[in-house]
Amino acid sequence: MGVARSKRRHSSPPAPRRASRSLNSKSLKFTIDSDFKQTHTVLEQVLSDCKHHGYDTNSVFAIKLALDEALINAIKHGNKLDPAKKVQIEAKIDPNKVEITVEDQGPGFHRNGVPDPTVPENICKSTGRGILLMEAYMNEVKWTKNGRRVRMIKLKQPSS
Amino acid sequence: MASAGLTADNIRGFTNMQAIGCIKPICLTPHFAPRTVNRLRNKPDAAVRHEPFCRTADMPEQSPPVSVVHSKDIRVVEFTSAKILDEANIAEIGATLNSMIDEETNPKLLLDFSNVDHLSSAALGMLINANNRIKQRNGQLRLTNIKPQIYEVFVITKLNKLFRILPERAEALASFNQ
């Protein structure tokens, strides 16, 4: 994981790889393998920055849920667990909003082709709720590049 | 979902679920590791109920993802982890629940979410599979002690209508049909 693949370590057992932070902006960039275990560091660092910028527990919960679903979609449904394919993540976090993009190297998909999991005929099906949760918990979710790239925005809630 | 006007921010209610903290088990029988449950699934139920979970040298230090206690003929399964996110963890929990369901003719399962602070759509899928399996065996499933943030996930996905969810463990135990 990291910005430059040349910096990736190949020790055995694999040491935790640190994400790189761009020096001239407040964005976090990651490139991870199609491996669920590598999502942990991404989640930890993004959420840590969100907390640092004063996002409340409900917002952090929402971002965590949406980012986790996006990463699982990219690894499982996008890259289909292909170890040769990567997932790229960028998170721009400022005091007003969090903008996250997740891009896989899979065949893509059409959002409108995903059935509604809340209707009676689908409610007992065990899959297909990730997109619903992403759209429910983020203020904006948009797919581009034929569904290979998703951009999600969470606005900070005004303090009451 | 944005198109349906349903967001996490506009869902209210169920606040009484956070009022009560963790409730002590009704019956303090030993906890079982999933591998113990799997190993004993073909043995008489009494053997499963009373065999203690003992860690051996070859077992990982990681604690089991669920603990199980009995209240009469009801198995009360408590998730031990705050997060039901990891795919491997979900698969292990699913296998454990399946083993328990398959051991009974009319399985009665109560899932206690006291410790759960986070879950994923994959975890919901695991719960749906367990529910489907229980229904196939004419059993009953109840969910309890779900924190408000987690309950919102059930509301958004409309799974609060599929599952029978009760605020407290005692109430959930009393809701099982004899």
Coordinates of all heavy atoms in Angstrom, one line a residue, chain B residues 70-103:
Chain B
H70 N -27.2 -20.3 27.6 CA -28.5 -20.9 27.4 C -29.5 -20.3 28.4 O -29.2 -20.1 29.6 CB -28.5 -22.4 27.5 CG -27.7 -23.0 26.4 ND1 -28.3 -23.6 25.4 CD2 -26.4 -23.2 26.2 CE1 -27.4 -24.1 24.5 NE2 -26.2 -23.8 25.0
S71 N -30.7 -20.1 27.9 CA -31.8 -19.8 28.8 C -33.0 -20.8 28.4 O -33.6 -20.6 27.3 CB -32.3 -18.4 28.6 OG -33.4 -18.1 29.4
K72 N -33.1 -21.8 29.2 CA -34.1 -22.9 28.8 C -33.7 -23.5 27.4 O -32.5 -23.9 27.2 CB -35.5 -22.4 28.8 CG -35.9 -22.0 30.2 CD -37.4 -21.5 30.2 CE -37.8 -21.0 31.6 NZ -39.1 -20.4 31.7
D73 N -34.6 -23.4 26.5 CA -34.2 -24.0 25.2 C -33.8 -22.9 24.2 O -33.7 -23.1 23.0 CB -35.4 -24.7 24.6 CG -36.7 -23.9 24.5 OD1 -36.7 -22.8 25.1 OD2 -37.6 -24.3 23.7
I74 N -33.5 -21.7 24.7 CA -33.0 -20.6 23.8 C -31.5 -20.4 23.9 O -31.0 -20.4 25.0 CB -33.8 -19.3 24.2 CG1 -35.3 -19.5 24.2 CG2 -33.3 -18.2 23.3 CD1 -36.0 -18.4 24.9
R75 N -30.9 -20.3 22.8 CA -29.5 -20.0 22.8 C -29.3 -18.5 22.6 O -29.8 -17.9 21.7 CB -28.8 -20.7 21.6 CG -28.6 -22.2 21.8 CD -28.0 -22.8 20.5 NE -28.1 -24.2 20.5 CZ -27.1 -25.0 20.5 NH1 -25.9 -24.6 20.6 NH2 -27.3 -26.3 20.5
V76 N -28.6 -17.9 23.6 CA -28.4 -16.5 23.6 C -26.9 -16.3 23.1 O -26.0 -16.7 23.7 CB -28.6 -15.9 24.9 CG1 -28.3 -14.4 24.9 CG2 -30.0 -16.2 25.5
V77 N -26.8 -15.7 21.9 CA -25.5 -15.5 21.3 C -25.2 -14.0 21.4 O -25.9 -13.2 20.9 CB -25.6 -15.9 19.8 CG1 -24.2 -15.7 19.1 CG2 -26.0 -17.4 19.7
E78 N -24.0 -13.8 22.0 CA -23.6 -12.4 22.2 C -22.3 -12.2 21.3 O -21.4 -12.9 21.4 CB -23.3 -12.1 23.6 CG -23.0 -10.6 23.9 CD -23.1 -10.3 25.4 OE1 -23.5 -11.1 26.2 OE2 -22.7 -9.2 25.7
F79 N -22.4 -11.2 20.5 CA -21.2 -10.8 19.7 C -20.1 -10.2 20.6 O -20.4 -9.3 21.4 CB -21.5 -9.9 18.6 CG -22.5 -10.4 17.6 CD1 -23.9 -10.0 17.6 CD2 -22.2 -11.4 16.7 CE1 -24.8 -10.5 16.8 CE2 -23.1 -11.9 15.8 CZ -24.4 -11.5 15.8
T80 N -18.9 -10.7 20.6 CA -17.9 -10.3 21.5 C -17.1 -9.1 20.9 O -16.4 -8.4 21.6 CB -16.9 -11.4 21.8 OG1 -16.4 -12.0 20.6 CG2 -17.6 -12.5 22.6
S81 N -17.2 -8.9 19.6 CA -16.4 -7.9 19.0 C -17.3 -6.6 18.7 O -18.5 -6.7 18.5 CB -15.8 -8.3 17.6 OG -15.3 -7.3 16.9
A82 N -16.6 -5.5 18.8 CA -17.4 -4.2 18.6 C -17.7 -4.0 17.1 O -18.6 -3.2 16.8 CB -16.6 -3.0 19.1
K83 N -16.9 -4.6 16.3 CA -17.1 -4.5 14.8 C -17.4 -5.8 14.2 O -16.6 -6.7 14.3 CB -15.9 -3.8 14.2 CG -15.5 -2.5 14.8 CD -14.1 -2.1 14.3 CE -13.6 -0.9 15.1 NZ -12.2 -0.6 14.8
I84 N -18.5 -5.8 13.4 CA -18.7 -7.0 12.6 C -18.5 -6.6 11.2 O -19.4 -6.3 10.4 CB -20.1 -7.6 12.8 CG1 -20.5 -7.7 14.3 CG2 -20.3 -9.0 12.2 CD1 -21.9 -8.2 14.6
L85 N -17.3 -6.5 10.8 CA -16.9 -5.9 9.5 C -16.1 -6.9 8.7 O -16.3 -7.0 7.5 CB -16.1 -4.6 9.7 CG -16.8 -3.3 10.1 CD1 -15.8 -2.3 10.4 CD2 -17.7 -2.9 9.0
D86 N -15.1 -7.4 9.3 CA -14.1 -8.2 8.6 C -14.8 -9.4 7.9 O -15.5 -10.2 8.6 CB -13.0 -8.6 9.5 CG -11.8 -9.3 8.8 OD1 -11.0 -8.5 8.3 OD2 -11.8 -10.5 8.7
E87 N -14.4 -9.7 6.7 CA -15.1 -10.8 5.9 C -14.8 -12.1 6.6 O -15.7 -13.0 6.7 CB -14.5 -10.8 4.5 CG -15.0 -9.6 3.6 CD -16.3 -9.9 3.0 OE1 -16.6 -11.0 2.6 OE2 -17.1 -8.9 2.8
A88 N -13.6 -12.3 7.0 CA -13.3 -13.6 7.7 C -14.0 -13.8 9.0 O -14.5 -14.9 9.3 CB -11.7 -13.7 7.9
N89 N -14.1 -12.7 9.7 CA -14.8 -12.7 11.0 C -16.3 -13.0 10.8 O -16.9 -13.8 11.5 CB -14.7 -11.3 11.6 CG -15.3 -11.2 13.0 OD1 -16.3 -10.5 13.2 ND2 -14.7 -11.9 14.0
I90 N -16.9 -12.4 9.7 CA -18.3 -12.6 9.4 C -18.5 -14.1 9.0 O -19.5 -14.7 9.4 CB -18.7 -11.6 8.3 CG1 -18.8 -10.2 8.8 CG2 -20.1 -12.0 7.7 CD1 -18.9 -9.2 7.8
A91 N -17.6 -14.6 8.2 CA -17.8 -16.0 7.8 C -17.7 -16.9 9.0 O -18.5 -17.9 9.0 CB -16.7 -16.3 6.8
E92 N -16.8 -16.6 9.9 CA -16.7 -17.5 11.1 C -18.0 -17.4 12.0 O -18.5 -18.5 12.4 CB -15.5 -17.0 11.9 CG -15.2 -17.9 13.1 CD -13.9 -17.5 13.9 OE1 -13.4 -16.4 13.5 OE2 -13.6 -18.2 14.8
I93 N -18.5 -16.2 12.1 CA -19.7 -16.1 12.9 C -20.9 -16.8 12.2 O -21.7 -17.5 12.8 CB -20.1 -14.6 13.1 CG1 -19.1 -13.9 13.9 CG2 -21.5 -14.4 13.7 CD1 -19.2 -12.4 14.0
G94 N -21.0 -16.6 10.9 CA -22.0 -17.3 10.1 C -22.0 -18.8 10.2 O -23.0 -19.5 10.4
A95 N -20.7 -19.4 10.2 CA -20.6 -20.8 10.3 C -21.0 -21.3 11.7 O -21.6 -22.3 11.9 CB -19.1 -21.2 10.0
T96 N -20.7 -20.5 12.7 CA -21.0 -20.8 14.1 C -22.5 -20.8 14.2 O -23.1 -21.8 14.8 CB -20.4 -19.8 15.1 OG1 -19.0 -19.8 14.9 CG2 -20.7 -20.2 16.5
L97 N -23.2 -19.8 13.7 CA -24.7 -19.7 13.8 C -25.3 -20.9 13.1 O -26.2 -21.5 13.6 CB -25.2 -18.4 13.3 CG -24.8 -17.1 14.0 CD1 -25.4 -15.9 13.3 CD2 -25.2 -17.2 15.5
N98 N -24.8 -21.2 11.9 CA -25.3 -22.3 11.1 C -25.2 -23.6 11.9 O -26.2 -24.4 11.9 CB -24.6 -22.4 9.8 CG -25.0 -21.3 8.8 OD1 -26.0 -20.6 9.0 ND2 -24.2 -21.1 7.8
S99 N -24.1 -23.8 12.5 CA -23.9 -25.1 13.3 C -25.0 -25.1 14.4 O -25.6 -26.2 14.7 CB -22.5 -25.1 13.9 OG -21.6 -25.2 12.9
M100 N -25.2 -24.0 15.1 CA -26.1 -24.0 16.2 C -27.6 -24.3 15.7 O -28.4 -25.0 16.3 CB -26.1 -22.7 17.0 CG -24.9 -22.6 17.8 SD -24.9 -21.2 18.9 CE -24.2 -19.9 17.9
I101 N -27.9 -23.6 14.6 CA -29.2 -23.8 14.0 C -29.5 -25.2 13.6 O -30.5 -25.8 13.8 CB -29.4 -22.8 12.8 CG1 -29.3 -21.4 13.2 CG2 -30.7 -23.1 12.0 CD1 -29.1 -20.4 12.1
D102 N -28.4 -25.8 13.0 CA -28.6 -27.2 12.4 C -28.7 -28.3 13.5 O -29.1 -29.4 13.3 CB -27.4 -27.5 11.5 CG -27.5 -26.7 10.2 OD1 -28.5 -26.1 10.0 OD2 -26.5 -26.7 9.5
E103 N -28.3 -27.9 14.7 CA -28.3 -28.9 15.8 C -29.7 -29.0 16.4 O -30.0 -30.0 17.1 CB -27.4 -28.4 17.0 CG -25.9 -28.6 16.7 CD -25.1 -27.9 17.7 OE1 -25.6 -27.4 18.7 OE2 -23.8 -28.0 17.5

